[in-house]
Amino acid sequence: MFKAIFIVVLFLSAFAVLPLCAETPDFGDDIGSAFSITPDNDPIEGELQTGADIDFFALTPEPETVYRVFFNNGLSDRKNLKVLMENSDYELRNIKKLDSNAETEYSTFYCEYGYPVYFKVFSDYSASGLYHIEVQTVKTVPVDSFSNSCSSPTQLDLSSGYIETEAVIDTSEPNFSAAPDYYTFDALENYRYYISFDYLDSSQLRATVLNSSCSSLVSSVNEDEGITLVSNDGGDFIIKCGHSPYGDSEDISVGNYYCLKVSAEGPLYDDFSNSKDSAHQIIPGDGPVKGTVFGANYGGDIDWFYADVNENSLYRITIDGYDYSRYKDCKIYYARTPESGHPESLIELYSTSEYNAIYSYLFSRDYMIEDSGRLYIRMAGRHFDTSYTVAAELISEFSEDLYPNTMEQAQQIPTDNTRIIGAVLGEYTDPNYVTHPDKDYFYFDTQDWHKYEVRVSKSDNANINFGVQLTDPAGSTIIDYHEDQAVLTFVDTSQQDKWYICVENKGLHLGGYYEFTVRDLGSFPDDRPSNFDSSDTFRLPTDGTWYGGSIDYYSDRGDDSDLLLFDIPVSGEYTFNFYNKIYRKVFFKVYYWDTEYHPAISKFDVSRGETVTKTHNFPTAGLGRIVVSTENNYTGDYFVSIKDPLPRCGDGYAPPPGDTNEDCYVDFQDVAAIAEGWLNDTNP
């Protein structure tokens, strides 16, 4: 007995000296029970017990200090950490959310005051398992004393070409007013400067660039990209750093730290003038002039050129993006030669847009000039240095009005695709000495059921009506001001042999150069009309026989459609079959007429290779109509069959009386069959 007890005591004593395995604690799941974390200590290991578990940690910071929290998920499932900062009203602001998947993530924040900072550990992915959290002190940054006045900004010293300034938007208690900081530096003419910022996760800042009058030049500076500035005249810039709340009532007392960086990137060579008044002249026909514009977010280079232009002449301005260089913008202006003592007035003819810059392609614009003057070309870079070439060329001259001004005197033109060139020039005077805007009239002969194509183009500054009609086309148009060209096709179904064209300026707009062609595309005879004609004797069979028709043409002024007529001899149920061989859908509409016209009783479409069967019950005898059309400019064949309710031999009905051989006809063959057995004894 003694020995047994002794052995047990020795065993327990030996186990007592072994180290016990520490169990990972489960930290509090709300702010009230948050575990206090001390900066600059070893990482704390925690564990989410379940996918819905939450752990809270709390940091009591030193004022005016930058901290960084590290969060590592280890090898367990994906987890999250959210940084929450308390303000003077005991409200929590969400600073940043970390997402760790077996790597270390971190968040850096500035504590202007000693308000608590909380760290919430959880998983958006219902994950559990181990994690590590650690807080380190980065540095102390006192609240700055930089100028809060735009009229007397803090002067930055750029004598070394670069400067960094750490600062905090002061939100002194108790009012928490966030007065912005203002800086300036001595800018040199045609010198490029780069401005950037480093922010923290707790920062809510907006940096803007102002001129010396405190007017905004650049409304926002992106933290990731920074901005470039060029002072074209040597004027100074002012940098404003201010608080930017998420909302009108957003707390501003959390941690608005930033680091402003300004560097002088060096002088820029300006090859052509930035001013229209000293623009560089280019001579039409002398070839391209090469230029370079340096880019910046503000104050980028501008190059001005001009070409003297003569009246009633067509000029072409060509810009080459040149050797795959970067985006550039272009504006083209026209100015009439001013009268003595009057200033020059610019009319903008063209401008690139935000989404339509010139890149590396060849780009040209044609302008009809009715009064002598100048064409100005303004080239500008975007954010980068870029090269280009610019050239001017005289294309055509018009010494007089070339074409008749009235429909009665219209000039005949061929339909063989001959190019007609013209210009609507100012005004003309009629025989009664009345002045009218210039119009150019043409006509061309047509043939029935021939298809014609009219193709028109114009100068880029033209705003013309280009009408094509059987009657006077003045005032109508087939081309829009924003289009370079337009195409009209039509089939002459009019039974007339002459179509007219009228070209005229819209309103007082000048620059009406145009080119056009008319081409006969050949014959497109139509087997069935599109409209009802009481003299039409055509009727579809109603005995179930298939009828084959076709859609023969399409055009901008009407596609072919077929009107098919069929008799309704008796009331009753009629069966229709529709088959389509055209590549796209064919549309069918069925109508009928007794003593009055009825709306369509059926509308449907038939896809290619498909047969559709429909039945319709007509209450009375009358006249039926089927309208056939297709979609999307396709032509081809279709088929229709109709079966009326009249009884017919061989269709489940007995042969007619006297049809002894049952061939559905009573004829001499039946008489011969009867005569063959005439007077024969048929008794059994």
Side-chain angles (χ1 to χ4, degrees):
M1 183 67 178
F2 175 79
K3 289 183 178 180
I5 294 174
F6 178 74
I7 293 172
V8 171
V9 171
L10 286 177
F11 178 79
L12 292 175
S13 299
F15 185 81
V17 300
L18 293 176
L20 296 176
C21 294
E23 182 179 348
T24 302
D26 183 19
F27 297 102
D29 58 2
D30 57 38
I31 288 178
S33 59
F35 181 82
S36 179
I37 190 168
T38 303
D40 307 316
N41 280 352
D42 293 336
I44 297 175
E45 182 178 80
E47 181 179 8
L48 295 182
Q49 305 293 329
T50 66
D53 192 15
I54 298 173
D55 289 350
F56 270 94
F57 298 85
L59 168 69
T60 302
E62 292 293 328
E64 301 183 355
T65 304
V66 177
Y67 292 95
R68 182 171 292 141
V69 59
F70 295 90
F71 180 64
N72 184 279
N73 188 39
L75 299 178
S76 57
D77 292 333
R78 196 168 179 179
K79 300 180 186 68
N80 305 95
L81 180 141
K82 186 177 288 187
V83 182
L84 304 166
M85 298 184 71
E86 188 175 292
N87 63 18
S88 60
D89 295 325
Y90 305 102
E91 298 170 337
L92 293 180
R93 177 184 155 209
N94 184 7
I95 298 300
K96 190 168 185 178
K97 178 181 176 182
L98 303 180
D99 192 330
S100 177
N101 186 15
E103 71 277 351
T104 299
E105 301 288 342
Y106 67 88
S107 174
T108 309
F109 50 91
Y110 177 77
C111 298
E112 185 174 351
Y113 308 106
Y115 302 134
V117 180
Y118 297 96
F119 308 107
K120 176 184 177 182
V121 181
F122 61 101
S123 175
D124 279 337
Y125 313 96
S126 301
S128 60
L130 298 175
Y131 62 86
H132 294 86
I133 182 172
E134 177 185 1
V135 177
Q136 293 183 359
T137 304
V138 178
K139 57 185 171 182
T140 299
V141 182
V143 174
D144 64 78
S145 57
F146 296 110
S147 172
N148 300 133
S149 171
C150 184
S151 59
S152 56
T154 300
Q155 186 75 30
L156 299 177
D157 182 7
L158 272 180
S159 58
S160 65
Y162 179 79
I163 188 172
E164 284 189 11
T165 300
E166 281 190 315
V168 175
I169 302 296
D170 186 8
T171 55
S172 301
E173 295 183 277
N175 297 322
F176 298 108
S177 59
D181 295 337
Y182 291 89
Y183 305 88
T184 189
F185 57 90
D186 293 328
L188 302 177
E189 183 177 356
N190 286 336
Y191 229 82
R192 181 155 54 200
Y193 300 90
Y194 180 72
I195 299 174
S196 62
F197 291 85
D198 287 340
Y199 299 149
L200 302 183
D201 295 328
S202 59
S203 303
Q204 284 181 238
L205 294 168
R206 182 181 182 184
T208 57
V209 179
L210 316 174
N211 61 18
S212 57
S213 300
C214 296
S215 298
S216 177
L217 300 178
V218 180
S219 60
S220 181
V221 180
N222 189 306
E223 174 190 5
D224 298 327
E225 299 177 0
I227 61 168
T228 52
L229 304 173
V230 175
S231 180
N232 300 120
D233 56 3
D236 293 341
F237 297 108
I238 296 175
I239 304 168
K240 175 185 176 182
C241 300
H243 173 69
S244 177
Y246 295 127
D248 293 338
S249 60
E250 184 70 45
D251 170 59
I252 60 175
S253 61
V254 178
N256 282 319
Y257 164 93
Y258 65 91
C259 179
L260 167 64
K261 303 175 183 179
V262 182
S263 60
E265 296 194 337
L268 300 169
Y269 169 69
D270 193 7
D271 48 0
F272 296 106
S273 173
N274 294 335
S275 169
K276 177 188 77 70
D277 295 335
S278 52
H280 178 81
Q281 183 178 12
I282 54 176
I283 308 298
D286 273 7
V289 174
K290 182 181 177 182
T292 300
V293 284
F294 48 80
N297 296 94
Y298 177 81
D301 188 18
I302 298 172
D303 290 349
W304 279 90
F305 303 88
Y306 77 90
D308 288 325
V309 290
N310 300 322
E311 65 179 0
N312 296 338
S313 301
L314 179 68
Y315 289 88
R316 176 170 296 156
I317 301 298
T318 301
I319 311 294
D320 191 342
Y322 194 80
D323 194 27
Y324 292 94
S325 55
R326 292 167 171 171
Y327 291 113
K328 57 197 71 69
D329 289 301
C330 172
K331 291 181 182 290
I332 301 176
Y333 302 89
Y334 164 68
R336 292 182 178 88
T337 302
E339 297 180 4
S340 178
H342 290 77
E344 190 176 55
S345 178
L346 295 184
I347 300 173
E348 183 177 299
L349 301 179
Y350 173 78
S351 176
T352 50
S353 65
E354 179 181 358
Y355 304 104
N356 186 32
I358 299 174
Y359 187 45
S360 59
Y361 55 85
L362 198 65
F363 157 87
S364 64
R365 307 289 289 183
D366 293 346
Y367 298 107
M368 179 67 191
I369 306 301
E370 294 194 21
D371 297 324
S372 61
R374 283 183 174 180
L375 284 173
Y376 285 96
I377 302 98
R378 178 187 183 273
M379 299 299 301
R382 290 205 170 179
H383 305 318
F384 306 98
D385 299 347
T386 180
S387 300
Y388 62 88
T389 64
V390 58
E393 181 183 1
L394 174 63
I395 303 299
S396 301
E397 294 181 290
F398 298 86
S399 58
E400 59 183 6
D401 188 7
L402 300 177
Y403 301 110
N405 298 305
T406 65
M407 181 175 168
E408 293 74 20
Q409 298 173 317
Q411 177 165 323
Q412 184 177 8
I413 56 174
T415 58
D416 59 358
N417 213 34
T418 298
R419 187 172 68 148
I420 309 298
I421 297 176
V424 187
L425 302 175
E427 299 175 332
Y428 75 95
T429 303
D430 66 19
N432 297 319
Y433 302 101
V434 178
T435 300
H436 306 274
D438 183 27
K439 297 180 181 180
D440 291 349
Y441 275 93
F442 308 86
Y443 79 89
F444 55 96
D445 291 329
T446 61
Q447 300 180 59
D448 293 343
W449 302 111
H450 275 237
K451 186 176 181 179
Y452 295 89
E453 176 193 77
V454 180
R455 187 177 294 270
V456 57
S457 59
K458 62 180 182 60
S459 57
D460 290 295
N461 62 326
N463 188 10
I464 59 174
N465 286 327
F466 189 98
V468 182
Q469 300 283 357
L470 280 166
T471 56
D472 190 347
S476 64
T477 189
I478 65 171
I479 188 168
D480 184 78
Y481 175 61
H482 300 288
E483 297 173 342
D484 294 328
Q485 61 179 3
V487 178
L488 169 70
T489 58
F490 67 92
V491 174
D492 186 8
T493 63
S494 65
Q495 312 301 310
Q496 301 185 40
D497 59 359
K498 187 179 291 187
W499 283 68
Y500 291 91
I501 292 174
C502 177
V503 190
E504 59 186 328
N505 277 318
K506 288 185 179 179
L508 299 177
H509 195 93
L510 302 180
Y513 172 87
Y514 60 88
E515 300 178 6
F516 72 93
T517 59
V518 179
R519 182 161 60 117
D520 187 340
L521 299 178
S523 177
F524 291 80
D526 191 11
D527 57 348
R528 288 297 305 152
S530 300
N531 301 309
F532 177 71
D533 184 347
S534 59
S535 64
D536 189 357
T537 60
F538 170 86
R539 296 293 186 271
L540 288 173
T542 59
D543 60 356
T545 303
W546 283 97
Y547 166 81
S550 62
I551 300 298
D552 300 303
Y553 65 85
Y554 58 87
S555 74
D556 297 314
R557 288 197 172 166
D559 300 337
D560 183 25
S561 62
D562 287 356
L563 176 63
L564 309 176
L565 303 178
F566 62 95
D567 289 323
I568 305 173
V570 295
S571 62
E573 186 175 85
Y574 288 66
T575 301
F576 297 78
N577 289 295
F578 304 90
Y579 175 67
N580 173 26
K581 289 185 66 176
I582 300 175
Y583 186 75
R584 300 303 291 265
K585 290 180 180 179
V586 173
F587 302 98
F588 294 91
K589 297 179 183 179
V590 181
Y591 304 80
Y592 88 99
W593 178 291
D594 45 21
T595 58
E596 60 179 319
Y597 182 73
H598 296 272
I601 60 175
S602 182
K603 298 179 182 180
F604 56 94
D605 58 73
V606 181
S607 299
R608 182 188 184 190
E610 183 182 24
T611 299
V612 172
T613 300
K614 298 283 185 179
T615 58
H616 295 293
N617 199 309
F618 295 102
T620 62
L623 179 66
R625 305 181 188 183
I626 299 175
V627 177
V628 187
S629 60
T630 187
E631 68 172 353
N632 294 341
N633 299 337
Y634 280 88
T635 60
D637 298 329
Y638 63 87
F639 297 86
V640 178
S641 72
I642 306 173
K643 181 68 180 298
D644 61 38
L646 292 173
R648 286 180 171 78
C649 177
D651 191 19
Y653 296 91
D659 183 13
T660 58
N661 61 1
E662 298 185 359
D663 64 354
C664 294
Y665 294 95
V666 179
D667 51 21
F668 281 108
Q669 293 183 16
D670 299 305
V671 175
I674 295 173
E676 184 178 350
W678 185 254
L679 299 180
N680 286 345
D681 184 4
T682 59
N683 287 327

